[in-house]
Amino acid sequence: MDSRQRDIAVISNGSANAATMDLIAEEPLSIRVQGAPYAVTMRTPGDEKAHVAGFCLAEGIVDTPDDITGLAFCDGEDTNVVTVTLTATRRLNVADHLDRRTYISQTSCGICGKTIVEDLVQSLSPVDDEPPMDGKRALECLLRLSDYQPLRVKTRAAHGAAIYDRNFAMLSAAEDVGRHNALDKAIGRLFLDDRLNRAKLLTLSSRISYELVQKAARARIPVVLAISRPTALAVQLAEALNMTLASLGKDDSLMIYCTPQRLIWPN
């Protein structure tokens, strides 16, 4: 993870004092697929290959690590450009998808929340029903999220994501200036290590938007807990995909918005 030191002036009670502060780094990451530009995202430098792998999984460019034959920096010293090379079969399967000119922006006029959910549910399958998890231990994981956010402690400007298995062992954690990027990095590490099937619980520092639900659904993570509340559209999508969404409430309570039966509270 990356930060930059900056000399600043602190004004207090009318007096100015010099100080040094760590600021979180933010740089563009260009993602290229088959040598062609696909997307540019602003992110905190670090874990670029995991970031791109998680991004490609969320976008539907790949389904398994075997769809990727190459994941490399365009220049050995330039970590701001990563190229993904797909198998010949996968290239054929996602040829239309890679032509981003066929995309309709989901923020365009005439596109409503209902349409977004209907389109995403058609492209994603609901997560499987599984034995319930201990809700108290899941909440404890959410409350410990800051333990895996050293960059936030240093800069007070980083989002975090941590992923756990059914036994609440931490599998992967990541930080980034962007909440989407943090999740892509955490998922991407497990995806490249072929351990994503063990992911059962996701904790987030941010609010839950529908895009984060989409990423978790692509990763087949059934339970998502966050410090901040979800949007109405995120809950609508999660409910349609048989996912459990919850956020932190007052006095360390847990507010569950959909599919509450996946969390139980043993005496």
Side-chain angles (χ1 to χ4, degrees), residues 11-185:
I11 310 300
S12 179
N13 297 322
S15 299
N17 296 285
T20 301
M21 177 176 288
D22 288 300
L23 301 180
I24 192 168
E26 184 178 26
E27 295 183 8
L29 173 65
S30 176
I31 300 171
R32 303 174 69 89
V33 181
Q34 300 303 123
Y38 183 84
V40 176
T41 183
M42 298 302 296
R43 98 301 185 194
T44 301
D47 288 340
E48 281 78 17
K49 292 183 180 180
H51 183 174
V52 171
F55 175 88
C56 287
L57 176 65
E59 287 278 300
I61 297 172
V62 298
D63 285 335
T64 73
D66 292 337
D67 292 330
I68 301 173
T69 61
L71 186 61
F73 299 117
C74 284
D75 186 317
E77 297 181 356
D78 182 4
T79 59
N80 284 345
V81 182
V82 176
T83 292
V84 182
T85 305
L86 306 175
T87 65
T89 299
R90 191 63 186 177
R91 287 201 301 271
L92 291 175
N93 290 341
V94 297
D96 291 340
H97 186 80
L98 294 179
D99 183 2
R100 293 176 67 88
R101 291 172 299 177
T102 64
Y103 281 18
I104 298 177
S105 171
Q106 293 175 341
T107 58
S108 298
C109 295
I111 304 296
C112 66
K114 181 179 179 181
T115 301
I116 292 173
V117 170
E118 289 175 351
D119 289 346
L120 289 176
V121 170
Q122 288 180 4
S123 62
L124 299 167
S125 56
V127 300
D128 297 331
D129 287 322
E130 297 187 13
M133 303 176 69
D134 186 324
K136 182 179 179 180
R137 295 190 64 186
L139 175 58
E140 289 172 352
C141 290
L142 179 61
L143 294 173
R144 293 199 310 268
L145 180 57
S146 60
D147 293 347
Y148 304 105
Q149 291 191 264
L151 189 59
R152 178 181 177 274
V153 172
K154 193 175 184 179
T155 67
R156 308 299 294 177
H159 283 296
I163 300 174
Y164 297 81
D165 68 11
R166 174 162 296 282
N167 296 316
F168 303 101
M170 203 276 288
L171 300 175
S172 176
E175 288 184 280
D176 197 276
V177 69
R179 55 199 173 92
H180 301 82
N181 299 337
L183 181 52
D184 282 339
K185 289 178 179 181

